[in-house]
Amino acid sequence: MSGGGGAEEEANLEFTPTWVVAAVCTVIVAISLAAERFLHYGGKFLKNKNQKPLYEALQKIKEELMLLGFISLLLTVSQNGITKICVPPSVTRHMLPCSLDEKDKVTVEHLQGQDRFHFELFFSLPRRLLAETPGTETHALTKSGFCANNKVPLLSVEALHHLHIFIFVLAVVHVTFSVLTVVFGGARIRQWKHWEDSIAKQNYETDQVLKRKVVDVQQHDFIKGRFSGFGKDSAIVGWLKSFFKQFYGSVTKSDYVTLRHGFIMTHCKANPKFNFHKYMIRALEDDFKQVVGISWYLWVFVVIFLLLNINGWHTYFWIAFVPFLLLLAVGTKLEHVITQLAHEVAEKHAAIEGELVVQPSDDHFWFHRPHFVLFLIHFILFQNAFEIAFFFWIWVTYGFDSCIMGQVRYIVPRLIIG
């Protein structure tokens, strides 16, 4: 690597002071060891507290970090090979995130000194991993003239570096979103603890709990809210009620008590004092280990999104509706499952002897698979994290006015939906 026109050469490792190399290595190794020790002792703490689901979730995070490390290593090792792949310029002029007219416009304004900060940020190469001769544009883009015969690199060093950073940011944001979701979900479930405590106070003896009494089904709070009034026999009205109910008081005390009793009678009839609230907390923690990871199909989604990020398609805007619509669908479905349980009891009985008992079943879920709902929640979390990560990555890397960012009328709704 040599400089031209008085340019100063970049020193390689042979001519770098040893104290600089040692200092940089010390900092990097120290930070890495501190992070590793933090995860290690965090795992030991969870095991000592008998938090097996959270411990397994932590192991899942370690796996994701290992995968990120491998991706980083692969990008670094293959960097020279990728940047030496030369193609005709016509190959790189199709399916662009920004139009060539926009590039020409920005170049002219940059030369004129207009909006200098943004355009220098957008087109400069602030982190040059390879030395470049400050000659012509073609010479700079072709890594000191590596690509000959009017050819250009398939992917520049700077673009490869930005892609590297984006993958890391995406993984961090996804893990953060997953953790926050579990924290908020746990806080919501803990608000129901006083219901469990009030039930525990009423459970004095087993024979009293199982003591039979006549109950008017139509007057039960669980039934009245879901099997009475206008459209109680209409499937469409039932779905509409489920849709709107997810926005307010989605779980009431009568819902909790009825579903708790139905679960106990189905799975542990001999233990009416079963702590259903504690079970739900553990179930939430167990689900966390499934949603915190980035599965292969989520990486496929990232690749497809990057492929369709074409100028004029406004992919960022339309894709923001996907998690929003899926979230509404999942919330509606979960509410409708409770409605179906109420209808099953109300349609079979006018009055029952004993407590109101519902029968939870996988048949109420899509494809008779409750885990499909968890899959959708996983996808919603990742897709929303992808949206937010991509937005801030573009903002920091290229600026808010970047052509990749899109117009303001598309940005604001996307952020609000996210």
Side-chain angles (χ1 to χ4, degrees), residues 205-223:
E205 299 293 340
T206 303
D207 57 345
Q208 291 180 343
V209 174
L210 299 178
K211 184 178 180 181
R212 294 186 174 275
K213 57 183 178 179
V214 177
V215 178
D216 186 352
V217 172
Q218 298 294 334
Q219 297 302 316
H220 197 283
D221 292 337
F222 181 75
I223 302 298

Side-chain angles (χ1 to χ4, degrees), residues 124-138:
S124 66
L125 301 180
R127 298 184 182 182
R128 300 182 183 272
L129 304 181
L130 299 175
E132 297 174 351
T133 303
T136 63
E137 178 183 356
T138 303

Side-chain angles (χ1 to χ4, degrees), residues 288-306:
F288 174 59
K289 70 181 181 182
Q290 299 186 45
V291 301
V292 74
I294 303 180
S295 304
W296 65 268
Y297 48 82
L298 297 179
W299 287 114
V300 171
F301 165 79
V302 172
V303 173
I304 293 176
F305 178 84
L306 294 176

Side-chain angles (χ1 to χ4, degrees), residues 70 103 136 154 198 293 308 327 354 397:
F70 181 77
K103 179 180 179 180
T136 63
L154 180 66
S198 65
L308 298 180
L327 184 63
T397 305

Side-chain angles (χ1 to χ4, degrees), residues 67-142:
L67 177 61
L68 284 176
F70 181 77
I71 292 175
S72 177
L73 177 64
L74 189 62
L75 287 174
T76 302
V77 171
S78 61
Q79 172 182 290
N80 289 335
I82 294 175
T83 54
K84 288 181 180 179
I85 299 177
C86 300
V87 296
S90 58
V91 175
T92 62
R93 292 174 182 171
H94 304 285
M95 300 180 69
L96 298 174
C98 295
S99 66
L100 294 176
D101 294 337
E102 183 72 19
K103 179 180 179 180
D104 295 338
K105 177 182 177 182
V106 170
T107 303
V108 172
E109 292 181 352
H110 173 67
L111 295 175
Q112 294 175 349
Q114 299 176 0
D115 296 331
R116 190 173 189 82
F117 172 78
H118 162 63
F119 295 122
E120 284 184 349
L121 181 64
F122 186 82
F123 280 99
S124 66
L125 301 180
R127 298 184 182 182
R128 300 182 183 272
L129 304 181
L130 299 175
E132 297 174 351
T133 303
T136 63
E137 178 183 356
T138 303
H139 190 63
L141 290 175
T142 57

